Amino acid sequence: MTNSPARRVEQIERQEFARGHISPGERPVDPRAAATIVLARDTTSGPEAGGPTGAFEVLLLRRPDTARFAAGAYVFPGGVIDRADGDAVFRGILHPDHTDAERPALVAALRELFEETGLLPADEFTGGTELTGPALPLARSRLLANEAGFREIVTELGLTFRHLEAVYFSRWITPRQLTRRYDTRFFLAVDPGGEPELTDEHTAYVWASPRVALEGLRTGELPMLYPTWRTLETLAGFETLAGALESLRVKPVEPILAKLEVRGDRFLPLMPGDPGYEAAP
């Protein structure tokens, strides 16, 4: 069906293939370690509101049409993991449930979220105490101007993330045929409140329930890459944010190496177990 999510995603994958791919028989490039954060907010209204208990929506950011990666697509905040994201200082300010392997990815996801949107779910900020004034915007300006690193800002402001509700729930590896590859850990996290303040890295944002976002993909209003679509499909299976957090928290995470089947003008993303997956390069 022309307007199915799969066909809409195929158009984006075709564009990514055109921007950079290896030749048959050429050695694939190694994927770069990266992290993504799916920021979700509860949409329950009335006196019961105020926590992750009811229907929810997630934040999607639109990439510029001129971007080198995912041009024009709606994505979750995120980016490449830096060496500093694994600094020991973060061990004591994150929830102890996160493993040594997860911790640098979560720090990177939080840093990228802060850079791209100005939102930061730190304990003091979510509590509405010291950081309701200009402290966070000023810190973000310094970070964007490379005048300070994330570790320095976190230390100076005395931020902790011990009460952050963030669950590591999936890991996607870019197909081998592409020259821009990432090994990306996905986290689901509860929104601290407020609206994004974007930089020129993105041109727009939207809050939408996973089901509404998938409908936007089907109609062409919200183009997105395959992992984004499949992530939304997973989240659309939950009626509440609390249910999603609880279920995904205990679900084992296995890396997913997606493949891209190229047949003439057809570009079909494949998951392990899909027909044709084993035969695809």
Side-chain angles (χ1 to χ4, degrees), residues 128-142:
T129 54
E130 298 179 5
L131 297 179
T132 54
L136 277 183
L138 289 174
R140 183 195 184 201
S141 296
R142 294 174 61 206

Side-chain angles (χ1 to χ4, degrees), residues 31-85:
R32 301 178 69 185
T36 284
I37 190 162
V38 183
L39 202 64
R41 67 183 185 185
D42 180 59
T43 55
T44 304
S45 60
E48 297 82 15
T53 57
F56 66 99
E57 54 191 13
V58 298
L59 177 65
L60 290 161
L61 310 177
R62 188 183 188 279
R63 299 278 288 161
D65 292 332
T66 56
R68 292 188 300 167
F69 174 72
Y74 279 82
V75 300
F76 303 116
V80 173
I81 300 173
D82 292 340
R83 182 185 300 272
D85 295 326

